[in-house]
Amino acid sequence: MGKATRLLVQGLIRPGKDRPLTVHQLNELLLFSSLVLLIAVVAVRLSSRSGLPSLLLYLGIGIAIGQDGIGQVSFDNAELTQVIGYGALVVILAEGGLGTKWKEIRPALPAAAVLATFGIAVSVGVTAAAAHYLVGLEWRQALLIGAVVSSTDAAAVFSVLRKVPLPARVTGTLEAESGFNDAPVVILVVAFSTTGPVDSWYLLVGKIALELAIGAAVGLAVGFLGSYGLKRVALPASGLYPIAVMAIAVTAYAAGALAHGSGFLAVYLAAVVLGNARLPHQPATRGFAEGLGWIAQIGMFVLLGLLVTPHELLEDFWPAVAIGLVLTVVARPLSVLLSLLPFRIPWQEQALMSWAGLRGAVPVILSTIPMVTGIEGSRKVFNIVFVLVVVYTLIQAPTLPGLARRLRLGEGDAATDLGVESAPLERLRGHLLSLAVPERSRMHGVEVAELRLPPGAAVTLVVRDGKSFVPSPSTVLRRGDELLVVATDPVRDAAEKRLRAVGRGGKLAGWLGTGGVR
């Protein structure tokens, strides 16, 4: 990196200096940013082939740009990192919520709620004790580390679990837990980062309960109101629907935070409601949210990599490994075991949930809170958390698919669900449903008449190998076909339900228990 570009980047990430940006500097910055994004996109490809979460490669990019790397950019602004990290986490939680299927997490909600509250308390206690007695940290530093690393990371969990075919209960529990547990952990970290005495435990429990309740109420209210409005207002362009959905999700975070509740829980629940509301142009909305999620992850992890000073990590490497070992093999399994006792979940699923408690950017971002407040030893806490996250992500994430197979929890042959996109036809009181038949869909080989769509719905067009035609009742559907279905307003939901049921169960879906209309 040239000296001019390096100084420009340093100036932009150090707010408070009034330096006007010239056109030439803007061009340099755009070139630098585009190169970083291109490298990050290549990193996504590499991570998908290696099985490693992309966060590790993004952190590597940040470290390479940083003061000990080839870029030599000096950056130590923990406050800016925290603010940008919070913003990125809002986008990531929104994207994760939009892709979460309500039917999968609904049975898992009680277990996920206990894991995100009682399980957090168990994990914090065990990990803090290890940090104090094994590593010799003071109790405040030990409690900070215990609280910070007890939160599973939404970005890591969403990106890894959705590539591993697991039972719906396991996936639903882990995804809901990662969406819920940020709120109590943030409260604990803020409490332990105060310069004065820490509040009594019962005050902390009351504060956590109150913030969770407010955040849940705000998130559900904003989600339902937003979905109600979007279903009844036809926007002039399809591209406005993704923007509106993300704006509603961010509104939930802001409203929850301003109401002194958990903004993180609010944005996740609002996104779950919006993602399951069958809004117009849902696949496009999810694609847009996924793209924003990638940008948020790239920016957040690169910035965290910049904040790290690699030569300082060697001193804290073995303490981080020791604390992480206790967290991984003692604290996390114990919290899962005690939290899930009332739910009678098989030991194989508990073992997988114990190993799948992935950490990522969230713990690293939370470890900047004591740095901002000026707690003694906060830099050491940050270094330990950073090393712990990197080392144990390298160990846990690639081995998760193999562990699932050994525990016989994989569902590798499960049919792919259909992505049905809906566009409203308000004046005609109807809907256009467009879908593509995926590679593993059981809709392959089904005749159009065998779809048995409800009266008022019909397949009007099929696109196959780039050519479109009007199908007859005896037309056999194939993998890769694109279908256009017209449905009147009263039967729109029933038609989509039937299409999804045939995609999962084939022509006999109604008799095989996969739902749908016969």
Side-chain angles (χ1 to χ4, degrees):
M1 184 189 299
K3 182 178 180 181
T5 304
R6 183 172 69 250
L7 293 175
L8 173 61
V9 173
Q10 288 182 195
L12 289 175
I13 60 182
R14 289 176 179 271
K17 296 183 178 181
D18 186 17
R19 295 180 178 178
L21 189 64
T22 65
V23 174
H24 180 71
Q25 288 176 323
L26 177 62
N27 292 336
E28 284 193 6
L29 180 62
L30 289 175
L31 176 61
F32 172 76
S33 303
S34 61
L35 288 176
V36 171
L37 282 174
L38 286 173
I39 294 171
V41 170
V42 175
V44 173
R45 177 61 178 167
L46 294 175
S47 67
S48 64
R49 299 189 64 169
S50 64
L52 294 175
S54 52
L55 68 92
L56 296 178
L57 295 174
Y58 300 154
L59 287 172
I61 293 172
I63 293 174
I65 298 172
Q67 58 182 335
D68 285 356
I70 56 175
Q72 297 181 350
V73 173
S74 179
F75 176 65
D76 58 359
N77 194 326
E79 187 173 4
L80 177 62
T81 304
Q82 180 185 330
V83 171
I84 293 179
Y86 273 31
L89 185 56
V90 169
V91 175
I92 291 168
L93 284 170
E95 187 270 326
L98 289 172
T100 298
K101 297 178 181 177
W102 173 246
K103 65 181 180 182
E104 290 184 0
I105 70 165
R106 181 175 56 186
L109 283 179
V114 176
L115 268 175
T117 50
F118 176 76
I120 286 290
V122 174
S123 182
V124 170
V126 174
T127 308
H132 177 71
Y133 292 110
L134 290 181
V135 180
L137 296 179
E138 296 179 357
W139 270 116
R140 184 182 290 268
Q141 298 173 3
L143 287 169
L144 275 170
I145 289 178
V148 164
V149 300
S150 292
S151 173
T152 56
D153 181 67
V157 170
F158 294 148
S159 64
V160 173
L161 289 186
R162 291 179 183 175
K163 299 176 185 177
V164 182
L166 297 175
R169 178 166 59 182
V170 175
T171 303
T173 302
L174 290 171
E175 288 191 2
E177 179 201 7
S178 67
F180 293 168
N181 62 14
D182 292 333
V185 167
V186 168
I187 296 171
L188 290 175
V189 174
V190 170
F192 296 147
S193 299
T194 55
T195 53
V198 179
D199 291 337
S200 302
W201 67 270
Y202 54 85
L203 291 177
L204 289 176
V205 170
K207 184 181 293 186
I208 289 172
L210 179 61
E211 291 201 13
L212 288 177
I214 294 174
V218 171
L220 293 174
V222 172
F224 281 117
L225 288 174
S227 62
Y228 180 85
L230 287 177
K231 282 182 177 179
R232 284 156 180 80
V233 176
L235 298 177
S238 61
L240 293 175
Y241 282 93
I243 298 174
V245 168
M246 290 302 295
I248 292 170
V250 175
T251 299
Y253 169 81
L258 289 174
H260 301 287
S262 170
F264 294 127
L265 181 59
V267 66
Y268 179 71
L269 290 180
V272 170
V273 173
L274 292 167
N276 289 271
R278 296 180 179 177
L279 299 175
H281 306 290
Q282 258 188 336
T285 299
R286 289 180 181 173
F288 177 78
E290 188 177 0
L292 286 182
W294 279 115
I295 292 175
Q297 288 187 55
I298 292 170
M300 178 173 59
F301 293 132
V302 169
L303 196 60
L304 289 173
L306 277 171
L307 188 62
V308 171
T309 306
H311 68 264
E312 295 180 357
L313 299 178
L314 296 177
E315 181 182 350
D316 299 312
F317 180 83
W318 291 113
V321 171
I323 295 172
L325 184 62
V326 174
L327 171 67
T328 305
V329 302
V330 180
R332 173 66 181 181
L334 185 61
S335 66
V336 170
L337 175 64
L338 296 179
S339 299
L340 301 184
L341 272 179
F343 302 101
R344 298 182 180 179
I345 294 178
W347 70 267
Q348 294 95 332
E349 294 184 13
Q350 292 192 35
L352 191 65
M353 290 183 197
S354 300
W355 191 248
L358 302 176
R359 274 80 195 169
V362 172
V364 185
I365 291 171
L366 295 179
S367 65
T368 63
I369 295 177
M371 295 175 65
V372 173
T373 57
I375 295 296
E376 183 180 354
S378 57
R379 188 74 195 191
K380 185 178 185 68
V381 170
F382 177 84
N383 290 341
I384 289 176
V385 170
F386 187 90
V387 173
L388 187 155
V389 167
V390 171
V391 170
Y392 285 92
T393 301
L394 278 169
I395 296 173
Q396 289 175 273
T399 57
L400 192 58
L403 178 62
R405 288 192 295 269
R406 285 181 175 273
L407 295 173
R408 298 181 180 179
L409 292 176
E411 295 180 350
D413 296 328
T416 304
D417 196 11
L418 296 175
V420 181
E421 182 167 356
S422 172
L425 302 173
E426 283 198 340
R427 289 186 300 169
L428 304 179
R429 298 186 60 79
H431 293 265
L432 288 175
L433 307 179
S434 62
L435 62 135
V437 182
E439 182 67 28
R440 293 182 294 171
S441 174
R442 293 193 174 99
M443 191 177 284
H444 173 77
V446 176
E447 295 183 5
V448 169
E450 292 172 330
L451 292 174
R452 295 193 300 281
L453 295 174
V459 180
T460 58
L461 198 68
V462 175
V463 180
R464 178 179 296 165
D465 299 328
K467 298 180 180 179
S468 59
F469 60 93
V470 177
S472 68
S474 60
T475 298
V476 178
L477 301 177
R478 299 178 184 173
R479 298 182 182 93
D481 282 355
E482 296 180 42
L483 278 62
L484 186 66
V485 179
V486 175
T488 58
D489 193 59
V491 301
R492 178 248 181 273
D493 290 344
E496 180 176 343
K497 184 178 180 183
R498 178 59 190 170
L499 289 168
R500 293 186 185 277
V502 176
R504 291 191 297 269
K507 64 184 71 176
L508 301 179
W511 286 273
L512 296 177
T514 49
V517 222
R518 295 185 182 179

